[in-house]
Amino acid sequence: MADHYEVLGVSREATTDEIKKAYRRLARQLHPDVNPGADASEKFKLVTHAYDVLSDAKQRQKYDLGPQAGFDGGGAGNFGNFGDIFETFFGGGGGSTRGPRSRRERGQDALIRVELDLDEIIFGTHRDLEVDTAIMCETCSGTCCRPGTSPITCDICHGTGSIQRAVRSLLGNVMTSSPCGSCRGYGTIIATPCMTCQGQGRVRARRTVPVDIPAGVDTGLRLQMPGSGEVGPAGGPNGDLYLEMKVRHHDVFSRDGDDLLCTLEVPMTSAILGTSVTVAALDGDIEVEIKAGVQSSEVLTIKERGVTRLRGAGRGDLRVGVQVVTPTRLDHKERDLIEQFASRHAAPAPSLSQFQQGLFAKIRDRFRG
């Protein structure tokens, strides 16, 4: 710890006027506006702190008595800690600088919504998406300068990106640093900006982004494409592109997890006698076997004809809910035949049973039961 008297170059018996004269002489030599060197800045802080202590009668008395009087010295060893405190509040301290900041910054992330048909998510699909985004300026290649020119060093901060100032505080004069207002902390100035990008290093344009959308995605799912977002200022690294999925409504098929659901309307005669029918699924024709006596709300399961699982192997199932269709218009001959059938098969009278909200409510109950 430096002795305050030695720092000011006076004896311990020096008067207040002698201490003041010594401080003024050294301050004129070491002031940052006169002597901008780092070594001079450190000495100026020591001189200022020594004067603050010795110019105050009570502080000087405590200092002369030593640590037993409760004075910790406040010398160069502790001043570094004060510098850290002032760096937090003032953006710099202790004469330290962090250097100029870079013009190159990471670009922003982008979010676009992609609408898909139900059949596209079974096996996945490919899309070429047109994205309105920021791309690197081809004229200056991200330098922000007109071709043939380059940034020039700021003549205010001399390339440091910051300005140092002496701030009066309870601890004396403390050197703080703040971003240079002339170059905005970059340390350089674009004297001749690129005419194409106006000195930004990037321009707005439409870009085609090829995307392979995996099978099994669902509405609300977001896919991240690292490095496919906007180019940053001054040709900085790209942000990320996020794709939010939305699956369009399908008139025939619906989805329940990895399973596909549909309804098969079966004529009453086919339900009684049984039949085989070919139906057009989303991924091709399927042969469905209708057993004789099938009832409405029964579920026929066709394995591995649902949606491909997003994470994992295999596919879900296709679940076909049977709905027996009763004819509403009969001619006389058809009615006679039905009556003959009814007379030969005595059926129980209609009776109340549990209420069902609908066919698929009943089907889903069976799925989960």
Side-chain angles (χ1 to χ4, degrees):
M1 179 180 67
D3 183 81
H4 289 342
Y5 292 102
E6 293 179 0
V7 170
L8 293 176
V10 297
S11 66
R12 289 187 172 271
E13 292 76 24
T15 64
T16 302
D17 289 339
E18 289 174 340
I19 292 173
K20 184 181 294 185
K21 289 179 181 179
Y23 169 70
R24 289 178 176 177
R25 174 176 54 81
L26 293 172
R28 283 195 294 269
Q29 297 175 4
L30 301 174
H31 196 278
D33 292 341
V34 178
N35 193 340
D39 186 58
S41 176
E42 292 295 328
K43 291 181 179 179
F44 178 76
K45 288 188 294 182
L46 292 175
V47 167
T48 300
H49 185 61
Y51 175 71
D52 288 339
V53 173
L54 299 182
S55 62
D56 184 279
K58 293 183 179 180
Q59 292 290 327
R60 182 179 181 181
Q61 184 180 12
K62 290 183 178 180
Y63 180 75
D64 290 340
L65 292 175
Q68 66 270 20
F71 192 88
D72 62 3
N78 290 331
F79 217 87
N81 295 332
F82 292 143
D84 293 340
I85 296 173
F86 276 94
E87 182 175 4
T88 302
F89 289 98
F90 297 109
S96 63
T97 58
R98 298 177 179 175
R101 66 188 183 102
S102 174
R103 294 181 186 274
R104 299 182 77 250
E105 298 179 4
R106 182 182 182 274
Q108 291 184 340
D109 296 337
L111 172 66
I112 60 176
R113 290 174 174 81
V114 181
E115 292 193 358
L116 300 168
D117 290 325
L118 190 57
D119 58 341
E120 292 181 296
I121 69 172
I122 295 180
F123 299 110
T125 186
H126 177 85
R127 289 286 184 88
D128 289 323
L129 303 177
E130 293 291 328
V131 181
D132 184 10
T133 184
I135 63 173
M136 184 178 294
C137 176
E138 296 181 354
T139 303
C140 67
S141 298
T143 64
C144 305
C145 300
R146 195 174 300 174
T149 65
S150 59
I152 61 175
T153 302
C154 176
D155 57 358
I156 302 300
C157 66
H158 305 291
T160 63
S162 60
I163 300 296
Q164 293 186 348
R165 295 181 178 86
V167 177
R168 186 73 177 179
S169 71
L170 296 176
L171 305 177
N173 288 345
V174 178
M175 295 300 298
T176 66
S177 63
S178 59
C180 175
S182 178
C183 66
R184 296 185 296 172
Y186 295 121
T188 58
I189 296 174
I190 307 296
T192 53
C194 172
M195 299 295 292
T196 303
C197 63
Q198 306 300 317
Q200 298 298 312
R202 58 179 184 170
V203 294
R204 303 297 301 185
R206 292 192 68 82
R207 180 166 60 97
T208 301
V209 180
V211 180
D212 288 321
I213 299 174
V217 298
D218 204 353
T219 297
L221 179 71
R222 287 188 178 183
L223 301 178
Q224 181 183 11
M225 300 184 63
S228 294
E230 293 190 350
V231 171
N238 293 60
D240 297 338
L241 176 63
Y242 291 87
L243 308 179
E244 185 174 271
M245 303 292 114
K246 180 181 179 181
V247 182
R248 297 188 186 96
H249 170 76
H250 196 279
D251 293 334
V252 175
F253 294 92
S254 60
R255 182 177 179 180
D256 183 22
D258 294 323
D259 292 341
L260 291 176
L261 310 178
C262 66
T263 300
L264 181 63
E265 294 183 347
V266 180
M268 183 185 66
T269 52
S270 298
I272 296 173
L273 301 175
T275 186
S276 179
V277 61
T278 301
V279 298
L282 292 174
D283 59 340
D285 292 341
I286 297 177
E287 192 77 15
V288 179
E289 190 73 24
I290 306 296
K291 295 182 179 180
V294 68
Q295 302 294 313
S296 286
S297 78
E298 285 194 24
V299 177
L300 309 178
T301 301
I302 294 89
K303 294 291 186 180
E304 295 290 323
R305 295 303 294 264
V307 178
T308 302
R309 295 182 177 87
L310 180 61
R311 296 177 180 86
R315 297 172 59 181
D317 299 332
L318 172 62
R319 298 180 180 268
V320 182
V322 175
Q323 182 177 6
V324 178
V325 180
T326 304
T328 57
R329 293 182 179 181
L330 300 174
D331 58 27
H332 291 293
K333 185 175 182 179
E334 291 170 337
R335 187 175 183 84
D336 289 340
L337 291 174
I338 294 297
E339 288 176 348
Q340 291 177 23
F341 175 82
S343 63
R344 295 182 61 182
H345 296 78
S351 61
L352 294 176
S353 64
Q354 184 180 3
F355 174 77
Q356 297 289 343
Q357 293 182 348
L359 174 65
F360 263 105
K362 198 171 183 180
I363 292 175
R364 283 196 174 93
D365 287 344
R366 293 201 177 188
F367 288 165
R368 296 165 184 169

